[in-house]
Amino acid sequence: MNVLKSKMAKLSVPLMLSFAMVVTGCSKSTTQSTDKSTTQPSGQATPAAATPKPAENSEISFMGWGGDTEKAVFQKLTDSYMLKYPTKKVKYTVVPPAEYYQKLDTLIASGKAPDVFYAGEAQFQKLAGSGSLLKMDDLIKTASSFDEKNVWKQGLDRYRFDGKVIGKGNLYGLPKDVGPWAFAYNKALFDKAGVKYPSAKAGEWTWNDMIDAAQKITTKGANGKTDVFGVAGYSLESAVWANGGDYIDYNTGTIKIDEPAFTEALQFVADLNLKYHVSPSPTDEKAQGGYARFVAGKIGMFPMGPWDQPGFWKLPFGWDIAAWPASPKTGKTATWLGSLGFVISNKTKYPEDAFNFASYLSLDPSSQKENYQLGQAVPNLIDMAKGEFLKYDKAPANRQVFLDIIQDYGHPTIAVGSVDTKWLDTFNQELSRVWEGKQTADVWAKEMKPKLQDLYDKGNKK
């Protein structure tokens, strides 16, 4: 979801991590990953990307964001590309996440946009709608070995735009990744509490099951304060969608937060702290964030994306991932499916080279293999994801959960569909009144709906 680091402090506690992660390029962990050599996977002798034209030396620029892990991964992939194609030079620049889009806007306005760069969510729609991005439809036809059926539709469709709707029209980007937001758990804490692990199959484990497990895992220290929490960072999006609700109907532009399905889910997430006391309070989060608590072995259940794997591989306790708990009301499970795209400036002097580099990062089997082995993402290539990725000998054991989210119950993040996200920023900022117990979900939603509707209309209905 896709809200950059400068905005993270304003986000509500349960939403803080999820929105920050998805927008910071699906790269929460900043732990240095271990480089591995690139090898061509068996049965993948023909690369999915088009072969660059070697007749002309050229240099293109590539700009992204991320922490140490992301930087290391994409520097290695960039170096691998240049080693494979010695006449093609790429200058890779990493910008701090909080500064990325401001810098990008400045470069575009000055006519100095990078040839290839990251774009996602509302920013992608804004850039595609303003004519700043190169259409890839003709270029992708030159990639003779490109097999659209072997690329996640959920990834490609995120970068189609017909001027009004995401998912239709021309292709303006290739997926950097598809980021399934999964539900991780600490096996040691479950074992200590004598609790059965949550199910990897969607619908088998409910909110009630999670609360019961969280209550048994939550323990107090010698000082009388909670030392271990059962759950933290629970995704409000997951709860809302699983309960049959939504934030907005993008077909009509109608805010839906006052509907019972939404307010029930919101109150459930708030009550994990307010009523059940199994999740950190806003004050607890300020003292130590949920991520830090989880890696310290002080949280039983916590969300994670594939990009968190390098950090989690170093944990001193066993862990795995499960399906998000299902709403008892609907029996359904849901979570968000993040993504960033590799896009190309419409001002590039080297459209073929820019496309070939973007397609190498997105679709080439050797780069995709290296990417997943470094713990950065699920492969964009379906056969690789369903084959060697599932058999990879590192945690999580339940890797199929990542694929289930992509195929079955992952939703685009809330910001996808809005050009102006002030309404969503305001939603997150004002939600603290619910998390702190100052207002019930129902009262808060009735008060906020007209304000959010007005912000959405002003920013998006033009």
Side-chain angles (χ1 to χ4, degrees):
M1 334 277 291
N2 310 283
V3 187
L4 294 173
K5 285 187 179 178
S6 61
K7 297 181 180 179
M8 284 174 66
K10 300 178 182 179
L11 293 178
S12 57
V13 172
L15 286 177
M16 181 184 298
L17 189 65
S18 62
F19 277 92
M21 282 183 178
V22 68
V23 180
T24 54
C26 298
S27 182
K28 171 64 180 69
S29 173
T30 57
T31 305
Q32 191 76 15
S33 60
T34 303
D35 289 346
K36 298 184 179 180
S37 60
T38 302
T39 56
Q40 191 75 9
S42 60
Q44 295 284 356
T46 304
T51 302
K53 299 177 181 179
E56 179 184 359
N57 292 326
S58 66
E59 179 174 306
I60 61 173
S61 56
F62 167 43
M63 190 172 85
W65 70 63
D68 292 344
T69 298
E70 178 126 343
K71 181 178 179 180
V73 168
F74 281 93
Q75 185 62 65
K76 185 168 178 58
L77 292 176
T78 299
D79 292 343
S80 296
Y81 173 82
M82 291 189 290
L83 184 64
K84 189 171 184 178
Y85 305 111
T87 65
K88 305 301 176 182
K89 305 302 179 184
V90 180
K91 182 180 180 181
Y92 175 38
T93 301
V94 182
V95 178
E99 304 170 13
Y100 179 82
Y101 280 116
Q102 182 179 357
K103 182 175 180 64
L104 180 62
D105 288 343
T106 300
L107 290 172
I108 290 175
S110 63
K112 299 179 181 179
D115 297 284
V116 180
F117 53 95
Y118 291 177
E121 296 192 330
Q123 290 80 11
F124 166 75
Q125 186 169 335
K126 177 183 176 182
L127 291 166
S130 68
S132 299
L133 304 183
L134 187 72
K135 294 179 183 178
M136 295 186 178
D137 301 81
D138 290 337
L139 286 166
I140 209 165
K141 293 176 183 177
T142 68
S144 58
S145 58
F146 169 69
D147 181 4
E148 185 172 341
K149 294 181 180 179
N150 195 35
V151 182
W152 297 113
K153 185 177 186 295
Q154 296 84 344
L156 282 176
D157 283 356
R158 195 72 68 89
Y159 305 101
R160 300 187 193 278
F161 186 58
D162 64 1
K164 294 182 179 180
V165 179
I166 296 288
K168 299 179 180 180
N170 295 111
L171 186 69
Y172 288 93
L174 297 174
K176 171 181 174 288
D177 55 17
V178 283
W181 195 229
F183 193 62
Y185 59 94
N186 180 325
K187 288 184 173 182
L189 291 180
F190 271 77
D191 291 342
K192 183 177 180 180
V195 181
K196 186 178 179 180
Y197 299 151
S199 176
K201 187 175 180 180
E204 286 192 349
W205 220 57
T206 69
W207 295 353
N208 294 333
D209 295 321
M210 185 197 70
I211 291 171
D212 180 65
Q215 288 175 325
K216 293 175 181 176
I217 291 169
T218 300
T219 57
K220 294 184 182 296
N223 60 3
K225 295 184 178 180
T226 301
D227 182 51
V228 175
F229 288 96
V231 62
Y234 199 91
S235 168
L236 177 58
E237 304 101 312
S238 172
V240 168
W241 291 327
N243 206 42
D246 211 334
Y247 290 61
I248 185 172
D249 180 347
Y250 274 120
N251 292 321
T252 61
T254 303
I255 302 294
K256 301 179 65 178
I257 66 166
D258 61 334
E259 296 182 1
F262 190 101
T263 57
E264 289 168 3
L266 174 54
Q267 194 63 58
F268 157 72
V269 178
D271 282 346
L272 293 176
N273 164 51
L274 298 174
K275 179 179 178 181
Y276 300 106
H277 310 296
V278 297
S279 189
S281 68
T283 301
D284 294 325
E285 284 282 347
K286 288 179 182 178
Q288 185 179 29
Y291 181 86
R293 289 178 188 270
F294 182 79
V295 299
K298 301 295 185 179
I299 296 289
M301 294 164 276
F302 192 72
M304 72 164 292
W307 54 89
D308 280 315
Q309 292 175 100
F312 281 25
W313 286 337
K314 299 178 181 181
L315 295 178
F317 54 83
W319 62 276
D320 210 335
I321 57 176
W324 280 85
S327 163
K329 178 180 177 179
T330 67
K332 294 183 178 180
T333 301
T335 186
W336 55 259
L337 182 65
S339 182
L340 273 176
F342 297 117
V343 298
I344 300 172
S345 168
N346 69 338
K347 302 294 185 182
T348 181
K349 295 180 181 179
Y350 304 104
E352 292 84 4
D353 288 342
F355 173 77
N356 289 332
F357 177 64
S359 62
Y360 174 83
L361 295 179
S362 177
L363 306 174
D364 186 89
S366 61
S367 72
Q368 286 296 291
K369 182 182 183 73
E370 188 168 11
N371 208 7
Y372 89 70
Q373 288 186 334
L374 291 172
Q376 188 66 16
V378 176
N380 291 326
L381 302 176
I382 296 174
D383 59 356
M384 183 180 291
K386 292 184 176 182
E388 60 188 80
F389 173 76
L390 287 183
K391 298 175 184 177
Y392 197 40
D393 61 357
K394 289 190 175 183
N398 291 329
R399 289 177 168 268
Q400 181 63 45
V401 171
F402 285 140
L403 305 194
D404 290 345
I405 293 171
I406 294 172
Q407 298 173 104
D408 301 330
Y409 58 91
H411 294 235
T413 51
I414 305 301
V416 174
S418 293
V419 174
D420 186 308
T421 59
K422 289 180 181 178
W423 73 274
L424 189 53
D425 296 338
T426 300
F427 172 93
N428 293 324
Q429 292 161 8
E430 297 293 334
L431 204 52
S432 61
R433 286 179 279 157
V434 179
W435 303 143
E436 294 169 3
K438 294 178 179 178
Q439 286 184 305
T440 65
D442 186 63
V443 170
W444 180 85
K446 285 183 171 60
E447 178 184 317
M448 288 302 301
K449 178 180 177 175
K451 297 179 181 179
L452 299 179
Q453 188 68 64
D454 183 59
L455 286 172
Y456 176 81
D457 291 347
K458 288 179 179 178
N460 296 276
K461 291 184 177 180
K462 297 179 181 179

mmCIF file of all heavy atoms in Angstrom, residues 18-41:
data_model
loop_
_atom_site.group_PDB
_atom_site.id
_atom_site.type_symbol
_atom_site.label_atom_id
_atom_site.label_comp_id
_atom_site.label_asym_id
_atom_site.label_seq_id
_atom_site.Cartn_x
_atom_site.Cartn_y
_atom_site.Cartn_z
ATOM 1 N N SER A 18 1.814 -1.889 7.501
ATOM 2 C CA SER A 18 1.380 -2.403 6.208
ATOM 3 C C SER A 18 1.479 -1.357 5.125
ATOM 4 O O SER A 18 1.985 -1.614 4.051
ATOM 5 C CB SER A 18 -0.051 -2.939 6.296
ATOM 6 O OG SER A 18 -0.963 -1.937 6.634
ATOM 7 N N PHE A 19 1.005 -0.128 5.382
ATOM 8 C CA PHE A 19 1.065 0.903 4.366
ATOM 9 C C PHE A 19 2.494 1.338 4.110
ATOM 10 O O PHE A 19 2.874 1.608 2.988
ATOM 11 C CB PHE A 19 0.210 2.113 4.758
ATOM 12 C CG PHE A 19 -1.228 1.927 4.423
ATOM 13 C CD1 PHE A 19 -2.104 1.389 5.350
ATOM 14 C CD2 PHE A 19 -1.709 2.251 3.171
ATOM 15 C CE1 PHE A 19 -3.439 1.203 5.023
ATOM 16 C CE2 PHE A 19 -3.039 2.067 2.850
ATOM 17 C CZ PHE A 19 -3.902 1.543 3.785
ATOM 18 N N ALA A 20 3.304 1.419 5.170
ATOM 19 C CA ALA A 20 4.685 1.826 4.977
ATOM 20 C C ALA A 20 5.427 0.813 4.144
ATOM 21 O O ALA A 20 6.182 1.164 3.257
ATOM 22 C CB ALA A 20 5.379 2.007 6.323
ATOM 23 N N MET A 21 5.202 -0.464 4.391
ATOM 24 C CA MET A 21 5.930 -1.488 3.659
ATOM 25 C C MET A 21 5.603 -1.488 2.187
ATOM 26 O O MET A 21 6.481 -1.591 1.342
ATOM 27 C CB MET A 21 5.619 -2.871 4.235
ATOM 28 C CG MET A 21 6.353 -3.173 5.516
ATOM 29 S SD MET A 21 5.984 -4.834 6.039
ATOM 30 C CE MET A 21 6.990 -4.934 7.489
ATOM 31 N N VAL A 22 4.354 -1.458 1.866
ATOM 32 C CA VAL A 22 3.985 -1.607 0.469
ATOM 33 C C VAL A 22 4.463 -0.447 -0.359
ATOM 34 O O VAL A 22 4.842 -0.588 -1.505
ATOM 35 C CB VAL A 22 2.475 -1.788 0.299
ATOM 36 C CG1 VAL A 22 1.692 -0.551 0.649
ATOM 37 C CG2 VAL A 22 2.161 -2.222 -1.121
ATOM 38 N N VAL A 23 4.497 0.757 0.232
ATOM 39 C CA VAL A 23 4.893 1.906 -0.551
ATOM 40 C C VAL A 23 6.396 2.058 -0.589
ATOM 41 O O VAL A 23 6.945 2.636 -1.500
ATOM 42 C CB VAL A 23 4.219 3.184 -0.024
ATOM 43 C CG1 VAL A 23 4.625 4.391 -0.826
ATOM 44 C CG2 VAL A 23 2.713 3.024 -0.081
ATOM 45 N N THR A 24 7.114 1.551 0.399
ATOM 46 C CA THR A 24 8.560 1.646 0.362
ATOM 47 C C THR A 24 9.151 0.500 -0.441
ATOM 48 O O THR A 24 10.168 -0.068 -0.096
ATOM 49 C CB THR A 24 9.170 1.660 1.776
ATOM 50 O OG1 THR A 24 8.693 0.521 2.478
ATOM 51 C CG2 THR A 24 8.823 2.917 2.502
ATOM 52 N N GLY A 25 8.501 0.176 -1.562
ATOM 53 C CA GLY A 25 9.060 -0.770 -2.503
ATOM 54 C C GLY A 25 9.038 -2.184 -2.011
ATOM 55 O O GLY A 25 9.867 -2.990 -2.387
ATOM 56 N N CYS A 26 8.083 -2.528 -1.184
ATOM 57 C CA CYS A 26 7.985 -3.884 -0.655
ATOM 58 C C CYS A 26 9.307 -4.285 -0.022
ATOM 59 O O CYS A 26 9.829 -5.356 -0.261
ATOM 60 C CB CYS A 26 7.589 -4.860 -1.752
ATOM 61 S SG CYS A 26 5.977 -4.517 -2.454
ATOM 62 N N SER A 27 9.906 -3.428 0.801
ATOM 63 C CA SER A 27 11.203 -3.707 1.410
ATOM 64 C C SER A 27 11.270 -3.149 2.808
ATOM 65 O O SER A 27 11.866 -2.135 3.057
ATOM 66 C CB SER A 27 12.320 -3.092 0.556
ATOM 67 O OG SER A 27 13.574 -3.380 1.087
ATOM 68 N N LYS A 28 10.645 -3.851 3.771
ATOM 69 C CA LYS A 28 10.650 -3.382 5.150
ATOM 70 C C LYS A 28 11.991 -3.615 5.808
ATOM 71 O O LYS A 28 12.542 -2.766 6.478
ATOM 72 C CB LYS A 28 9.554 -4.098 5.941
ATOM 73 C CG LYS A 28 9.618 -3.825 7.435
ATOM 74 C CD LYS A 28 9.382 -2.374 7.760
ATOM 75 C CE LYS A 28 9.439 -2.122 9.248
ATOM 76 N NZ LYS A 28 10.790 -2.278 9.793
ATOM 77 N N SER A 29 12.509 -4.806 5.632
ATOM 78 C CA SER A 29 13.738 -5.151 6.323
ATOM 79 C C SER A 29 14.926 -4.457 5.706
ATOM 80 O O SER A 29 15.065 -4.359 4.487
ATOM 81 C CB SER A 29 13.955 -6.666 6.265
ATOM 82 O OG SER A 29 15.211 -7.001 6.776
ATOM 83 N N THR A 30 15.837 -3.936 6.534
ATOM 84 C CA THR A 30 17.055 -3.324 6.032
ATOM 85 C C THR A 30 18.268 -4.174 6.370
ATOM 86 O O THR A 30 19.391 -3.725 6.303
ATOM 87 C CB THR A 30 17.235 -1.916 6.620
ATOM 88 O OG1 THR A 30 17.246 -2.012 8.055
ATOM 89 C CG2 THR A 30 16.134 -1.001 6.166
ATOM 90 N N THR A 31 18.044 -5.422 6.741
ATOM 91 C CA THR A 31 19.142 -6.327 7.042
ATOM 92 C C THR A 31 19.879 -6.680 5.759
ATOM 93 O O THR A 31 19.275 -6.973 4.741
ATOM 94 C CB THR A 31 18.611 -7.621 7.680
ATOM 95 O OG1 THR A 31 17.827 -7.272 8.820
ATOM 96 C CG2 THR A 31 19.756 -8.529 8.084
ATOM 97 N N GLN A 32 21.223 -6.644 5.794
ATOM 98 C CA GLN A 32 22.004 -6.944 4.596
ATOM 99 C C GLN A 32 21.786 -8.386 4.185
ATOM 100 O O GLN A 32 21.930 -9.301 4.983
ATOM 101 C CB GLN A 32 23.486 -6.701 4.885
ATOM 102 C CG GLN A 32 24.355 -6.729 3.644
ATOM 103 C CD GLN A 32 24.207 -5.461 2.834
ATOM 104 O OE1 GLN A 32 23.694 -4.471 3.318
ATOM 105 N NE2 GLN A 32 24.643 -5.479 1.607
ATOM 106 N N SER A 33 21.445 -8.618 2.925
ATOM 107 C CA SER A 33 21.237 -9.982 2.458
ATOM 108 C C SER A 33 22.547 -10.581 1.976
ATOM 109 O O SER A 33 23.511 -9.875 1.715
ATOM 110 C CB SER A 33 20.217 -9.991 1.314
ATOM 111 O OG SER A 33 20.669 -9.210 0.245
ATOM 112 N N THR A 34 22.586 -11.879 1.831
ATOM 113 C CA THR A 34 23.779 -12.578 1.390
ATOM 114 C C THR A 34 23.710 -12.798 -0.101
ATOM 115 O O THR A 34 22.780 -13.412 -0.599
ATOM 116 C CB THR A 34 23.899 -13.942 2.098
ATOM 117 O OG1 THR A 34 23.910 -13.722 3.504
ATOM 118 C CG2 THR A 34 25.170 -14.649 1.695
ATOM 119 N N ASP A 35 24.720 -12.302 -0.829
ATOM 120 C CA ASP A 35 24.725 -12.452 -2.270
ATOM 121 C C ASP A 35 24.949 -13.908 -2.645
ATOM 122 O O ASP A 35 25.681 -14.650 -1.994
ATOM 123 C CB ASP A 35 25.848 -11.608 -2.887
ATOM 124 C CG ASP A 35 25.531 -10.123 -2.805
ATOM 125 O OD1 ASP A 35 24.361 -9.805 -2.533
ATOM 126 O OD2 ASP A 35 26.448 -9.309 -3.001
ATOM 127 N N LYS A 36 24.307 -14.303 -3.736
ATOM 128 C CA LYS A 36 24.494 -15.654 -4.249
ATOM 129 C C LYS A 36 24.741 -15.569 -5.744
ATOM 130 O O LYS A 36 24.277 -14.658 -6.417
ATOM 131 C CB LYS A 36 23.264 -16.519 -3.978
ATOM 132 C CG LYS A 36 22.978 -16.698 -2.491
ATOM 133 C CD LYS A 36 21.813 -17.646 -2.293
ATOM 134 C CE LYS A 36 21.541 -17.846 -0.821
ATOM 135 N NZ LYS A 36 20.428 -18.765 -0.585
ATOM 136 N N SER A 37 25.452 -16.528 -6.279
ATOM 137 C CA SER A 37 25.759 -16.508 -7.698
ATOM 138 C C SER A 37 24.517 -16.791 -8.504
ATOM 139 O O SER A 37 23.622 -17.518 -8.090
ATOM 140 C CB SER A 37 26.828 -17.562 -8.000
ATOM 141 O OG SER A 37 26.359 -18.840 -7.645
ATOM 142 N N THR A 38 24.466 -16.192 -9.680
ATOM 143 C CA THR A 38 23.332 -16.388 -10.565
ATOM 144 C C THR A 38 23.538 -17.640 -11.393
ATOM 145 O O THR A 38 24.586 -17.824 -12.009
ATOM 146 C CB THR A 38 23.195 -15.194 -11.520
ATOM 147 O OG1 THR A 38 23.049 -14.020 -10.740
ATOM 148 C CG2 THR A 38 22.002 -15.363 -12.429
ATOM 149 N N THR A 39 22.553 -18.498 -11.419
ATOM 150 C CA THR A 39 22.610 -19.686 -12.272
ATOM 151 C C THR A 39 21.345 -19.781 -13.073
ATOM 152 O O THR A 39 20.277 -19.392 -12.617
ATOM 153 C CB THR A 39 22.761 -20.962 -11.431
ATOM 154 O OG1 THR A 39 21.691 -21.022 -10.483
ATOM 155 C CG2 THR A 39 24.079 -20.978 -10.683
ATOM 156 N N GLN A 40 21.462 -20.283 -14.295
ATOM 157 C CA GLN A 40 20.297 -20.434 -15.139
ATOM 158 C C GLN A 40 19.479 -21.629 -14.667
ATOM 159 O O GLN A 40 20.013 -22.741 -14.568
ATOM 160 C CB GLN A 40 20.730 -20.651 -16.596
ATOM 161 C CG GLN A 40 19.606 -20.569 -17.592
ATOM 162 C CD GLN A 40 19.159 -19.147 -17.833
ATOM 163 O OE1 GLN A 40 19.785 -18.230 -17.393
ATOM 164 N NE2 GLN A 40 18.063 -18.975 -18.539
ATOM 165 N N PRO A 41 18.187 -21.434 -14.312
ATOM 166 C CA PRO A 41 17.378 -22.554 -13.836
ATOM 167 C C PRO A 41 17.148 -23.581 -14.925
ATOM 168 O O PRO A 41 17.095 -23.256 -16.101
ATOM 169 C CB PRO A 41 16.065 -21.884 -13.417
ATOM 170 C CG PRO A 41 16.011 -20.617 -14.211
ATOM 171 C CD PRO A 41 17.428 -20.184 -14.368
#
